[in-house]
Amino acid sequence: MGDPVAGYTSRLQQQELEIHSLTAELESLKNPQGLGLSPHLDGLREENAKLKYRLNVLKRSLQEERSQCSKTMMNINQRLQEIFGEAIREACPDLENPPLAVTPNQQAKFGDYQCNSAMAMAQMMKSKGLKVNPRQIAENIQQNIPDNELIEKTEIAGPGFINVHLKRSFVSKLLTNLLLNGVQPPRLESKKKVVVDFSSPNIAKEMHVGHLRSTIIGDSMCRLFEFLGYDVLRLNHVGDWGTQFGMLIAHLQDKFPNYLTVSPPIGDLQAFYKESKKRFDEEEDFKKRAYQCVVKLQSKDPAFIKGWNLICDVSRKEFQKVYNCLDIQIIERGESFYQDKMTAVVKEFEAKGLVEMDEGRKIVFAPGQQIPLTVVKSDGGYTYDTSDLAALRQRLFDEKADIIIYVTDSGQGTHFQVVFAAAQMIGWYDPNVTRVEHAGFGVVLGEDKKKFKTRSGDTVRLMDLLDEGLKRSMEKLKEKDRDKVLSTEDLTKAQRSVAFGCIKYADLSHNRINDYVFSFDKMLDDRGNTAAYLLYAFTRIRSIARLANIDEAALRKAAETTEVLLEHDKEWKLGKCLLRFPEILQKILDDLLLHTLCDYLYELATTFTEFYDSCYCIEKDRQTGEVVKVNMWRMLLCDATAAIMAKGFDILGINPVSRM
């Protein structure tokens, strides 16, 4: 038996192709000059009428296919844009690239969505010498809205706003689809390869609070792309190469001369690094030997490679402690991976005449950039510029990436701008085809609004920060007497969920471009837009069915047999809010700003509270407290809310627990 989903998709694609072909044929029939003066005008008109009939039949068929909801969630905003895009083309066929603006309506009394294209179209026409009232344009658009599955009615308001009211029956079907099939991403046109470069600490140095943002933001971006069906490669571009390894290996040789046969007990790599740096700055003989070690390392001398690997392994173990706490999956591919590729990159730029000499350095100027890239230093060594060019080239040509995202602090924005410009100049990629982007972020500030430091002025170690989070979250749970009702195992799970969830959410709920103030007190507050509030809200929603003795099997059966009624205003508001999830994800896909998802989850939680306070899900006997009635369609709305929140948490990398 064939796959019904594959069959549906194939039919859908065939119909869309035929519609496109028929539309083109209709357009050609509208243009008699292109056909020559035909004596058979009546015949042409008859053919035109037949084509229009066939086109409408196909459109109705396509609409019916769509209305029989597929397993994936529909992006309602996107579907409305398709409908209004067609209406606008019919209403104003001579207007090239007309603006298309469809947004959720901010005031429920005016409808559910709003098309605001008419005013912008009037401005476009005015610039071409045509004065048309935007309200008249709106009326033309309204008259040309094709038959569709989701619009109940439209109304024109003010200067030309088109207010859209959705069909409650169709929204109910979409919610049933969600309940039966789970939170499924919208259909992906093609499975693209995505490379996300994030975290990227330096070997032999502690991960500090500065690495926190890159790690959390990068992981969440990966989770989003993975959920949407992309092929994602998560890369950790660690600093594992360079002159500092010469001094580290020289110090290793002195402190642990038998390191080749006995694994050295380097307990504190940070202290080890500081010792070697002090000797490098103060001892001339040690400094010379450190430079010799660099040469030996670069020539791949086995003894020096082993020393380098030992140092890297100690760092990896420390990094992994952080990644385990934050549930981060990432593949290490440091600067050392690209060393052998840098010579070829320089030769390629030289062969195309793009390299200039500057006081012994080899530099590359990219179009529109004020600062050059230094691809070879005056001593013949390579630089970060060379390494980043080699990494970008490898990701484009070897990994065949369609999308490459670098998640680093905003201070590196100019550097990446020049690297990307150089890569485009040499013809490695076309920005209209391949998306290469720097997702920059601001710094973490202390509550004094200054750069986050310890009291002694040192950079805050990331593990110390995470340990403090665990301590504070346990205090918060005990403050709520959760230690008296939860088992030791459940209490520990709740502690980790709250601690790490709050740290992640505090970061992700701020616009990444801005600096943000790190405050344990604020992030652990269970009021307002915090993970603590959302986690407690989620636990309460999940407990509603449990308190009514309704198990998952009963909810599943209800989803198959019970219509989700949306008659009460708060039911309708919640239903629409739930179905905005795909359009929220699409927006983040476009701008890579994850705070939009946090804002949405907070809006969903508060909308649910309004619903729960106004609509009885369970009715109990006032005397005995026994459940006397269960409004099952409302229980299904509870279940749908929990499902969307769980998926939202998953994308943010937050792990909620069933009991808290």
Side-chain angles (χ1 to χ4, degrees):
M1 224 176 124
D3 179 2
V5 176
Y8 161 75
T9 305
S10 174
R11 288 203 311 281
L12 200 64
Q13 288 170 341
Q14 283 174 352
Q15 287 180 352
E16 284 174 341
L17 282 170
E18 194 167 348
I19 284 173
H20 183 74
S21 170
L22 287 170
T23 304
E25 204 171 332
L26 274 172
E27 288 300 316
S28 71
L29 286 173
K30 284 180 185 175
N31 182 13
Q33 289 86 353
L35 297 168
L37 291 171
S38 170
H40 308 294
L41 189 57
D42 289 341
L44 283 173
R45 283 177 175 157
E46 189 180 335
E47 183 64 21
N48 195 329
K50 286 178 181 176
L51 282 170
K52 281 184 176 176
Y53 174 76
R54 283 172 57 203
L55 185 61
N56 287 330
V57 168
L58 277 168
K59 282 181 177 176
R60 276 198 298 273
S61 174
L62 183 59
Q63 185 180 312
E64 283 169 17
E65 291 270 22
R66 277 187 170 132
S67 66
Q68 294 166 3
C69 306
S70 69
K71 287 186 177 180
T72 62
M73 284 189 77
M74 175 187 281
N75 183 332
I76 292 175
N77 193 308
Q78 207 168 58
R79 178 71 187 111
L80 287 171
Q81 286 184 41
E82 289 172 9
I83 292 165
F84 277 97
E86 189 176 332
I88 288 167
R89 284 191 297 276
E90 288 291 325
C92 302
D94 299 327
L95 197 62
E96 197 173 331
N97 296 320
L100 179 59
V102 178
T103 58
N105 217 323
Q106 298 305 308
Q107 296 186 59
K109 63 181 179 181
F110 295 130
D112 307 311
Y113 283 81
Q114 194 174 71
C115 175
N116 305 326
S117 298
M119 287 74 75
M121 289 168 70
Q123 286 296 322
M124 278 182 78
M125 290 176 177
K126 189 178 178 182
S127 68
K128 294 180 179 183
L130 297 168
K131 193 172 180 181
V132 186
N133 187 319
R135 196 175 173 94
Q136 179 61 51
I137 296 171
E139 285 171 5
N140 289 343
I141 294 169
Q142 186 185 39
Q143 286 163 13
N144 282 282
I145 292 172
D147 289 342
N148 62 81
E149 71 280 20
L150 74 161
I151 296 177
E152 181 71 43
K153 65 175 180 175
T154 56
E155 297 165 334
I156 297 172
F161 299 111
I162 304 175
N163 291 324
V164 179
H165 297 260
L166 300 177
K167 287 180 182 173
R168 297 201 177 205
S169 58
F170 189 71
V171 170
S172 177
K173 281 181 187 175
L174 292 178
L175 289 167
T176 297
N177 174 56
L178 162 63
L179 289 158
L180 292 175
N181 298 303
V183 186
Q184 300 294 334
R187 187 163 58 92
L188 202 61
E189 287 181 16
S190 60
K191 189 169 185 175
K192 292 182 176 178
K193 176 76 173 278
V194 182
V195 172
V196 184
D197 177 326
F198 69 104
S199 193
S200 309
N202 290 310
I203 294 291
K205 292 184 182 178
E206 294 271 12
M207 283 183 81
H208 56 77
V209 73
H211 295 111
L212 181 69
R213 298 207 76 183
S214 178
T215 305
I216 290 171
I217 294 167
D219 175 60
S220 189
M221 284 181 186
C222 290
R223 288 170 179 268
L224 172 64
F225 279 110
E226 285 159 353
F227 170 64
L228 293 173
Y230 291 83
D231 178 13
V232 180
L233 178 61
R234 300 156 159 257
L235 288 184
N236 199 358
H237 190 80
V238 297
D240 65 351
W241 202 254
T243 53
Q244 75 271 27
F245 284 95
M247 68 182 192
L248 287 165
I249 292 170
H251 191 52
L252 181 73
Q253 288 172 334
D254 291 346
K255 200 161 185 181
F256 304 105
N258 60 344
Y259 76 89
L260 289 171
T261 53
V262 180
S263 185
I266 304 173
D268 188 341
L269 194 54
Q270 186 80 350
F272 187 84
Y273 180 88
K274 285 179 180 175
E275 288 168 14
S276 65
K277 183 72 170 72
K278 188 171 186 294
R279 291 184 68 191
F280 185 83
D281 292 339
E282 296 174 2
E283 299 174 27
E284 199 57 39
D285 286 346
F286 180 81
K287 192 174 190 175
K288 285 179 185 174
R289 199 152 55 81
Y291 280 128
Q292 289 167 359
C293 288
V294 173
V295 174
K296 292 275 192 185
L297 178 62
Q298 288 176 341
S299 64
K300 306 287 176 71
D301 183 299
F304 290 82
I305 289 291
K306 177 154 188 182
W308 171 72
N309 272 323
L310 286 168
I311 292 163
C312 289
D313 283 343
V314 174
S315 269
R316 285 186 191 108
K317 284 173 187 168
E318 291 303 310
F319 298 160
Q320 198 55 48
K321 289 178 186 175
V322 171
Y323 296 146
N324 287 345
C325 284
L326 297 175
D327 190 22
I328 307 294
Q329 304 297 320
I330 194 164
I331 294 168
E332 184 185 311
R333 192 177 287 175
E335 291 168 15
S336 61
F337 179 84
Y338 305 101
Q339 291 306 301
D340 297 339
K341 305 176 191 309
M342 289 195 264
T343 305
V345 165
V346 174
K347 282 181 178 175
E348 188 176 344
F349 274 90
E350 286 176 328
K352 295 195 176 179
L354 300 172
V355 175
E356 299 175 28
M357 294 303 296
D358 178 59
E359 297 181 354
R361 299 180 305 149
K362 291 183 178 180
I363 62 171
V364 172
F365 271 103
Q369 304 301 317
Q370 305 298 314
I371 305 165
L373 294 173
T374 299
V375 292
V376 182
K377 294 187 291 185
S378 55
D379 65 3
Y382 296 129
T383 66
Y384 285 123
D385 294 347
T386 334
S387 174
D388 282 336
L389 282 169
L392 179 53
R393 192 185 193 288
Q394 193 274 338
R395 292 162 186 179
L396 288 165
F397 291 97
D398 295 356
E399 299 299 342
K400 294 181 170 50
D402 301 293
I403 301 169
I404 305 173
I405 297 165
Y406 293 80
V407 186
T408 74
D409 66 272
S410 295
Q412 296 186 52
T414 303
H415 164 71
F416 281 113
Q417 189 178 314
V418 181
V419 170
F420 300 161
Q424 289 169 45
M425 174 180 71
I426 201 170
W428 287 352
Y429 76 96
D430 176 353
N432 296 315
V433 177
T434 306
R435 180 181 181 183
V436 180
E437 193 169 336
H438 174 236
F441 54 80
V443 297
V444 182
L445 304 175
E447 293 190 69
D448 58 1
K449 306 290 173 68
K450 294 178 182 175
K451 211 165 182 181
F452 198 34
K453 301 274 186 182
T454 62
R455 285 181 183 173
S456 61
D458 292 331
T459 305
V460 178
R461 291 174 69 246
L462 200 41
M463 272 313 298
D464 290 346
L465 191 79
L466 297 176
D467 287 341
E468 178 69 13
L470 286 169
K471 176 172 162 284
R472 298 277 196 112
S473 68
M474 183 57 83
E475 288 170 0
K476 191 78 178 176
L477 288 163
K478 286 182 176 177
E479 193 181 296
K480 289 177 164 290
D481 294 330
R482 303 317 294 161
D483 55 322
K484 293 172 183 173
V485 294
L486 295 177
S487 67
T488 305
E489 185 184 353
D490 283 343
L491 185 64
T492 303
K493 283 180 181 176
Q495 176 196 22
R496 291 179 69 85
S497 174
V498 171
F500 304 141
C502 285
I503 289 170
K504 287 183 178 187
Y505 193 86
D507 190 318
L508 295 168
S509 61
H510 289 83
N511 186 323
R512 63 170 164 79
I513 295 164
N514 302 330
D515 299 343
Y516 94 97
V517 175
F518 189 98
S519 166
F520 273 122
D521 289 338
K522 284 181 183 174
M523 65 178 68
L524 289 166
D525 193 340
D526 55 12
R527 294 161 300 176
N529 188 5
T530 66
Y533 168 76
L534 290 174
L535 286 166
Y536 286 125
F538 178 75
T539 304
R540 283 197 301 275
I541 294 167
R542 292 290 295 269
S543 70
I544 294 167
R546 189 171 65 244
L547 293 171
N549 294 317
I550 300 169
D551 60 17
E552 284 188 25
L555 283 168
R556 174 77 188 181
K557 188 175 180 183
E560 291 169 350
T561 57
T562 306
E563 182 186 357
V564 180
L565 300 176
L566 301 167
E567 291 166 0
H568 193 286
D569 285 350
K570 299 302 181 184
E571 292 171 339
W572 179 234
K573 185 179 178 182
L574 178 60
K576 288 186 298 176
C577 188
L578 287 164
L579 295 177
R580 277 184 31 235
F581 188 56
E583 60 196 71
I584 295 295
L585 299 188
Q586 183 58 51
K587 184 181 183 303
I588 301 166
L589 200 63
D590 294 338
D591 60 23
L592 302 178
L593 295 173
L594 289 149
H595 69 276
T596 306
L597 177 55
C598 299
D599 292 344
Y600 167 75
L601 289 175
Y602 180 60
E603 181 192 344
L604 179 58
T606 53
T607 302
F608 178 84
T609 300
E610 288 177 24
F611 154 78
Y612 193 67
D613 289 346
S614 304
C615 305
Y616 289 115
C617 297
I618 304 161
E619 296 179 38
K620 295 182 179 179
D621 185 289
R622 290 188 178 181
Q623 305 296 321
T624 63
E626 287 182 22
V627 175
V628 292
K629 185 182 178 185
V630 174
N631 295 317
M632 193 54 86
W633 78 93
R634 289 176 177 164
M635 294 303 300
L636 291 175
L637 281 169
C638 295
D639 196 36
T641 304
I644 293 286
M645 286 187 77
K647 181 48 69 179
F649 284 145
D650 185 54
I651 291 169
L652 297 174
I654 294 171
N655 181 28
V657 290
S658 56
R659 297 179 68 83
M660 188 177 287

